[in-house]
Amino acid sequence: MIIKVENLTKVFKSYQRGNTFGEAVKSLFVRKPIYVHALKGISFNIEEGELVGFLGPNGAGKSTTLKILTGIMHPSGGKAEIMGYTPWKDRKKYVAKIGAVFGQKSQLLWDIPPVDAFYLNKAIYSIPERSFKKTLHKMVELLGVEELIKKPTRQLSLGERMKCEFIMAMLHKPKIVFLDEPTIGLDVIAKDKIREFILEMNRNGVTFILTTHDLDDIAHLAQRVIVVNHGEIVFDDSLTTLRNYLGVKKIISVSTMRPLPELRLPGIKITNRISDYKAELELDLSKYELNKFIALVNKSSTIMDLSVQDPEIEEVIKGLYH
Amino acid sequence: MMTNFRLYLQGVKVALSSRMAYRGDFFMSMIIMLLVEMGAPLLTILIYHNGASFPGWTMYEALLLQGVFLLAKGIAFPFFFGIVWNTIGRVQEGTFDLLLIKPKSVLFLAIVTAFDSEDLGKLLGGITLFALSLSEIPPPGLWEWLQFAALFFIALTTLFGFALILAGLGIVWIGNFRVYDIFESVVNFGKYPAALFSKSVQTMITLIIPIAILGYIPATALLGKPAAGTWSAVTVSVVFLLFSLWFWHWMLKKYSSAGG
């Protein structure tokens, strides 16, 4: 077990401010404290080499968990043991063994090339010259950024910068890497390259913990998903189990030679009737079997084309949040 | 120790490369910094050329005091005072967290990433003013130089203390760059001989907020006429430095327990 988290809680103290001018003036002198329970006792374990996705709506407690696990923030209660360290107590020793990429906070320096920032990290982590050059060469090749690392950061595109952020986080060969929305704002090609890189590093034994709003990231990368809502874990299992969680459903698109029947049967829900001959529908397999459905439609209307897909992960997640 | 020194040098190199990306602005900023700091010495020259004076001080002695003050700022501001703007800016942008995920002391990293090349103008001005005024007064003896060196070092530690307090305030008082304006108006008292001020102000700048140590006290030691209360000012400065270190760590604890 590389990460053990037990009953982690975090309570923030904030102050209530009014929205009228009078209340704003009053709040200059008297402020009413509010206590926000960001984490209400979450527990989970992660094995070495796992790639775990952390999902949840805004304010669910994902970033708070990540900040506690990276040693940035102290929890209000509970325990966390990562590689034998308590992140907020053994910060300096612990952070030498982890890496982090924050999609919205850059570790690069705007006016100088990424390679200069890499050298600053080399000095911070006391990485020996030979090991530094070897790792840098490998990362640069994997991400295809040989020419880019010598250009000033401000001249790079968001995708190119993000690739360099990954190099920055991996130079000291961390055993665990925390990723906070690493593909935010990236185009499809850049996302694919980053995802390939994460998978390659994961195959080499690096454990990844990924928080994201992009469910495609989860679908492409995560072997396991932890869903957090209102400071509590509402789901912790594989992506397949997550898809099955709310019932085994299929999304079907069908085109026929003759007009489609009404199909008002239990387990069949037409979501979009495009024409008399074409429709999209949702089939609940626990109520109506797929082969029976195909036989029914073929008999009544003769199928010309039919596609069967799993439901969009967004729909499954929405179900969990409610 | 050597590793940390190498890291600091790397930080300086990175900051210089970063600043020199805009060459015109780099040189202009240095010149502007120099001109801003020359206001007090020019005023002193104007006062003496109009027949007035600071009682008990010749013009070059007064300029030496201001040279010492500017030299102290000229060392502090480029090399470590930048933690004030670095901390305030990072807390405001949310990038202060990035210092906490590195395996070094947060204070050290805040210094390493805060080298401020623009303020080298202050250092240049300080060296020039100090050397010019020194050449116009009787040469100090070895004992005076030794006393001056010790007191000047304490002046630097006091400026470090001020930087820690201002940066610490920046952690909890988000985005408030005004703290520097308050500091600047308070330390202005350090540019002039303490005897110019009332007794209560003298007590305040020597024994409560150690401002006299930034210029006046080291300058009097170099001139061979040590100020009354030098030892008390040294003691207050040491206590001030210890307090500021405690204050910084307290504010840092507040940040990590509150999440910024």
Side-chain angles (χ1 to χ4, degrees), chain A residues 138-172:
Chain A
K138 186 180 161 193
M139 301 288 159
V140 161
E141 227 174 36
L142 261 172
L143 288 161
V145 289
E146 289 89 345
E147 295 307 313
L148 302 176
I149 60 166
K150 289 170 192 158
K151 281 187 186 174
T153 303
R154 67 185 137 83
Q155 288 178 9
L156 304 181
S157 70
L158 183 61
E160 291 165 345
R161 286 206 300 272
M162 194 46 72
K163 287 175 192 170
C164 295
E165 294 282 352
F166 268 86
I167 297 178
M168 191 89 169
M170 303 299 296
L171 283 170
H172 58 290

Side-chain angles (χ1 to χ4, degrees), chain B residues 32-106:
Chain B
I32 289 167
M33 282 290 169
L34 178 64
L35 291 177
V36 166
E37 293 297 335
M38 282 299 158
L42 288 176
L43 184 69
T44 304
I45 294 170
L46 206 65
I47 288 170
Y48 278 84
H49 278 250
N50 281 290
S53 67
F54 300 146
W57 289 71
T58 66
M59 185 178 81
Y60 286 107
E61 285 175 343
L63 287 176
L64 181 81
L65 187 163
Q66 286 163 358
V68 172
F69 181 82
L70 191 52
L71 192 60
K73 275 177 89 177
I75 294 174
F77 274 62
F79 296 102
F80 58 77
F81 211 88
I83 56 167
V84 178
W85 299 279
N86 192 18
T87 306
I88 296 176
R90 280 177 177 273
V91 170
Q92 195 175 16
E93 287 169 10
T95 52
F96 193 70
D97 291 353
L98 299 176
L99 299 183
L100 286 152
I101 56 163
K102 302 286 177 194
K104 291 280 174 195
S105 138
V106 177

